[in-house]
Amino acid sequence: MNQATQFPAGDNPVKNMTDLVAEIARALVDDQDSVSVEAIEDGECTAIRLRVAASDVGKVIGKQGRTARSMRTILSAASMKLKHRFSLDIVEEDHPTAP
């Protein structure tokens, strides 16, 4: 019964997870245009880096980190099914300072 998970042709689980994180984040924040997600793959693990506007960081993290913990739980559940580890980093979007 040890069978690797097979994905349909063109179906990328990393892209699916980044799209999922982006959609959840857009539903939570005020500035939806500032939401960006990048995946940093490292062998069996993929770090998903979520960037949001400085004013929206609290909304994505939630009270006592509950919202962020819930997003990480979803990624963890998907990790078990896909046999690929995902981690979530929430980063405040950097705004270049004027000289």
Side-chain angles (χ1 to χ4, degrees):
M1 267 340 247
N2 291 339
Q3 188 176 19
T5 305
Q6 302 237 341
F7 302 105
D11 197 1
N12 182 349
V14 174
K15 181 177 180 341
N16 290 344
M17 290 298 111
T18 56
D19 290 347
L20 175 65
V21 169
E23 284 301 312
I24 292 171
R26 285 190 190 100
L28 296 170
V29 300
D30 291 329
D31 185 6
Q32 296 179 354
D33 295 332
S34 70
V35 173
S36 70
V37 179
E38 67 177 313
I40 303 162
E41 295 188 54
D42 183 26
E44 295 180 8
C45 181
T46 300
I48 297 177
R49 186 164 294 152
L50 170 63
R51 293 184 190 276
V52 296
S55 60
D56 289 328
V57 171
K59 291 177 182 123
V60 173
I61 294 174
K63 288 185 179 178
Q64 297 180 352
R66 288 185 181 154
T67 305
R69 192 175 324 123
S70 296
M71 291 172 67
R72 288 184 174 115
T73 299
I74 292 168
L75 287 175
S76 176
S79 295
M80 297 295 177
K81 180 174 173 106
L82 299 173
K83 296 180 174 73
H84 185 88
R85 185 166 160 28
F86 292 95
S87 63
L88 176 66
D89 298 328
I90 300 170
V91 181
E92 182 178 322
E93 189 173 80
D94 295 327
H95 294 287
T97 56

